[in-house]
């Protein structure tokens, strides 16, 4: 098979696989005429179907009505009957044998639910299958097996499936929480930018002068000074006042610390040695 034709067939089978769920091994329904031509042209039908459908495995199938047609044609078609018996038997549920074309149309149905590929030489059957969506049709032309392009019904069904896949289904819509409608924003004059507004000034607190603070500290020391020869008792209230003086008024004031002078003990002078 030429590379260009193989590429075309690969695209067609990809379309059927993605849009309609065809999976390997593909199920191929074969009619009685296809079996006869395969014997006359000495074709390996299963191998040719695998090549045309670009698949790794193919499952040829035949109905009892098609086999009955071969039986009615006499012993001359015994090789075709033997070939048909090697295929998997597809139950058509017909108590009495009917023509092969009608049998295959009834098996495929209106929607090709079981995803069959039909290999037939009947022109009337091929024209009838083009009306059914998602039915690949294979026939032999001058000892070459050909895969027909999709019909209009197949292309329309493909567009519908693609359109449905873009929208959520009913179960998916049920799971989506329904949000309240968004309220429209009210249009009107906007307030000023808070970054462009000047900050409010705090009320000025009059600062005490340094001289006044110094005078207050000296008065406090003079009132608490001890008489000469007496020890000054340090009260807890005085200690607390001394620590907090000058702290609350400003950062410049430093707490006044009192240092006690230690008296040096006069050491006894050792007597001079003679």
């Amino acid at each position: 098979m030429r590379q260009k034709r193989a590429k075309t067939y690969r695209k067609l089978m990809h379309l059927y696989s993605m849009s309609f769920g065809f999976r390997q091994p593909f199920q191929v329904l074969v009619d009685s005429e296809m079996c006869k031509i395969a014997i006359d042209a000495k074709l390996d039908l299963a191998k040719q179907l695998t090549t045309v459908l670009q698949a790794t495995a193919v499952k040829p199938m035949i109905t009892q009505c098609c086999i009955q047609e071969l039986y009615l044609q006499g012993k001359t078609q015994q090789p075709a009957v033997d070939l048909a018996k090697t295929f998997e038997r597809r139950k058509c549920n017909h108590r009495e044998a009917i023509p092969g074309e009608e049998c295959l149309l009834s098996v495929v149905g209106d929607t090709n639910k079981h995803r069959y590929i039909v290999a037939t030489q009947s022109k009337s059957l091929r024209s009838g299958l083009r009306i059914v969506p998602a039915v690949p049709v294979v026939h032999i032309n001058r000892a070459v097996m050909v895969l027909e392009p999709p019909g209009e019904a197949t292309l329309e069904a493909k567009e519908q499936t693609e359109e449905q896949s873009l929208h959520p289904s009913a179960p998916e819509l049920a799971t989506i929480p329904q949000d309240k409608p968004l309220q429209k924003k009210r249009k009107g004059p906007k307030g000023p930018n808070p970054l462009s507004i000047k900050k409010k000034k705090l009320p000025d607190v009059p600062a005490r002068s340094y001289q006044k603070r110094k005078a207050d500290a000296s008065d406090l020391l003079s009132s608490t000074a001890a008489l000469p020869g007496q020890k000054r008792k340090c009260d807890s209230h005085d200690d607390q006042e001394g620590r907090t003086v000058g702290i609350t008024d400003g950062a410049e004031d430093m707490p006044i610390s009192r240092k006690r002078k230690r008296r040096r003990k006069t050491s006894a002078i050792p007597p001079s040695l003679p």
Side-chain angles (χ1 to χ4, degrees):
M1 183 184 292
R2 293 181 179 179
Q3 187 176 2
K4 187 176 180 180
R5 182 179 295 179
K7 186 177 180 180
T8 304
Y9 291 166
R10 195 180 303 114
K11 286 183 178 180
L12 288 177
M13 294 313 300
H14 182 71
L15 181 147
Y16 287 113
S17 299
M18 297 299 295
S19 300
F20 304 105
F22 280 72
R23 295 291 179 269
Q24 298 189 34
F26 297 125
Q27 301 180 102
V28 184
L29 285 174
V30 183
D31 68 343
S32 58
E33 290 295 325
M34 183 66 71
C35 294
K36 288 163 58 177
I37 291 177
I39 293 298
D40 295 340
K42 298 180 180 180
L43 295 175
D44 188 353
L45 196 58
K47 185 178 180 180
Q48 290 292 325
L49 288 171
T50 304
T51 305
V52 169
L53 300 177
Q54 298 293 306
T56 56
V58 171
K59 190 188 293 184
M61 308 175 77
I62 195 166
T63 62
Q64 185 62 35
C65 298
C66 294
I67 293 178
Q68 188 64 27
E69 279 187 348
L70 294 174
Y71 277 124
L72 295 175
Q73 293 179 12
K75 293 184 179 180
T76 55
Q77 300 299 331
Q78 188 61 37
V81 173
D82 296 338
L83 176 63
K85 285 182 179 180
T86 60
F87 300 155
E88 185 178 335
R89 195 70 56 89
R90 173 65 172 83
K91 291 182 180 181
C92 56
N93 298 326
H94 295 140
R95 293 183 179 180
E96 295 181 1
I98 61 174
E101 297 180 7
E102 297 178 7
C103 180
L104 293 179
L105 283 173
S106 64
V107 170
V108 171
D110 297 334
T111 57
N112 194 14
K113 180 175 67 174
H114 300 288
R115 301 176 183 85
Y116 291 122
I117 299 171
V118 181
T120 179
Q121 288 296 110
S122 175
K123 292 183 179 180
S124 60
L125 179 59
R126 282 153 53 188
S127 61
L129 290 174
R130 289 192 189 99
I131 303 172
V132 183
V135 182
V137 180
V138 177
H139 70 276
I140 294 176
N141 183 18
R142 296 180 183 179
V144 178
M145 192 169 286
V146 179
L147 176 62
E148 295 185 1
E152 294 181 0
T154 302
L155 295 176
E156 290 177 0
K158 177 204 167 192
E159 291 178 359
Q160 290 179 1
T161 53
E162 289 179 351
E163 186 68 22
Q164 290 176 0
S165 64
L166 296 176
H167 302 287
S169 60
E172 292 175 347
L173 287 173
T175 57
I176 297 174
Q178 296 181 358
D179 298 332
K180 295 181 180 180
L182 297 175
Q183 297 180 355
K184 293 184 179 179
K185 292 184 177 181
R186 187 177 179 183
K187 294 183 179 180
K190 297 181 179 179
N193 187 359
L195 300 177
S196 63
I197 300 173
K198 291 184 178 180
K199 294 182 179 180
K200 294 182 180 180
K201 293 183 178 180
L202 298 175
D204 295 334
V205 179
R208 298 173 66 188
S209 63
Y210 176 73
Q211 296 294 336
K212 191 174 182 179
R213 290 196 299 272
K214 190 174 180 181
D216 293 344
S218 61
D219 293 343
L220 180 63
L221 290 174
S222 61
S223 62
T224 57
L227 296 173
Q230 293 182 354
K231 290 185 178 180
R232 180 182 175 277
K233 295 182 180 180
C234 181
D235 298 335
S236 59
H237 178 69
D238 296 342
D239 190 14
Q240 188 173 3
E241 277 187 354
R243 290 179 184 176
T244 56
V245 167
I247 294 175
T248 57
D249 294 337
E252 300 174 356
D253 304 333
M254 299 297 292
I256 300 172
S257 60
R258 302 183 184 86
K259 294 183 180 180
R260 296 181 180 178
K261 295 182 180 181
R262 294 183 180 180
R263 296 179 180 178
R264 294 182 180 179
K265 294 181 180 181
T266 56
S267 59
I269 301 172
S272 59
L273 296 175

